[in-house]
Amino acid sequence: ANHKDLLKPEVIWNIEVGHSVQAQGGAIEGARAAHQALFERVEKFFEEHDMLITPCAPFPAFDVNVRYPSRAHGVQFGNYLDWMAMSWAITVMQCPVIAIPIGLTKAGLPVGLQLVGKPFSEPMLLAAAAAFEAAHPQAAALVPVAGGPRRLQGQLEPSIDGPRSVAEARTLAHAETASFATLTKPADAAFFSPFESSLR
């Protein structure tokens, strides 16, 4: 408490949300129930599918000066974690995942794809990724192996906005929310449309 000013606003938000959750009666039990419901949906999905394939992120790279996207293509994110839900949702599902490069957007920015399998299916995922790289060697070649990162002549997404300073992040953190029910709700189509429109 004596050094709160040394912490990032995002970390402070995490702590404050944690304290508020502990004070809410039934919140943790509700989260566990939602988590169990998610597990059941995932289990049912993999009864009929070998793999789930998703983009690694809902949109391509954004300005490095933006701490995190709070709004993109007309979609407002509830907190600093929401924009990367396609990544952390897989962690919550406790499924293995492998990310592979698949190409560039019209603006020349790299795009990745996630291959997600049911628990303990790592050998199948590695084989699938190897098969993709063998079939599309040009995509694998986009990743520099030596000599440092290759500078991409891409145009950043202008419609992605977010806090650019600690002060802006602190202000935004006071308005952000967290919901345990997020993963139990159907995905909003508007969340994925910016990614689809940016591809070739």
Side-chain angles (χ1 to χ4, degrees), residues 5 44 85:
D5 58 317
K44 185 175 181 179

Side-chain angles (χ1 to χ4, degrees), residues 18-38:
H19 285 310
S20 68
V21 167
Q22 294 176 16
Q24 297 174 19
I28 294 178
E29 289 75 11
R32 287 175 177 163
H35 203 188
Q36 181 60 38
L38 176 64

Side-chain angles (χ1 to χ4, degrees), residues 36-147:
Q36 181 60 38
L38 176 64
F39 278 141
E40 293 172 0
R41 290 174 59 191
V42 169
E43 185 178 31
K44 185 175 181 179
F45 175 87
F46 282 116
E47 287 177 357
E48 300 180 0
H49 303 84
D50 294 324
M51 192 183 307
L52 170 66
I53 301 176
T54 78
C56 290
F59 36 76
F62 49 89
D63 191 334
V64 69
N65 293 310
V66 174
R67 293 174 68 93
Y68 61 88
S70 59
R71 184 178 180 83
H73 301 278
V75 177
Q76 186 74 39
F77 301 115
N79 56 65
Y80 83 98
L81 296 171
D82 277 0
W83 76 271
M84 48 183 166
M86 277 189 263
S87 294
W88 60 253
I90 307 304
T91 302
V92 174
M93 290 161 50
Q94 297 184 359
C95 292
V97 58
I98 187 168
I100 56 176
I102 62 168
L104 302 174
T105 66
K106 295 175 183 178
L109 297 172
V111 174
L113 201 64
Q114 293 184 124
L115 308 182
V116 185
K118 62 183 178 181
F120 309 110
S121 64
E122 286 86 347
M124 181 272 291
L125 287 182
L126 291 170
F132 179 88
E133 289 186 347
H136 304 279
Q138 72 281 4
L142 293 173
V143 180
V145 177

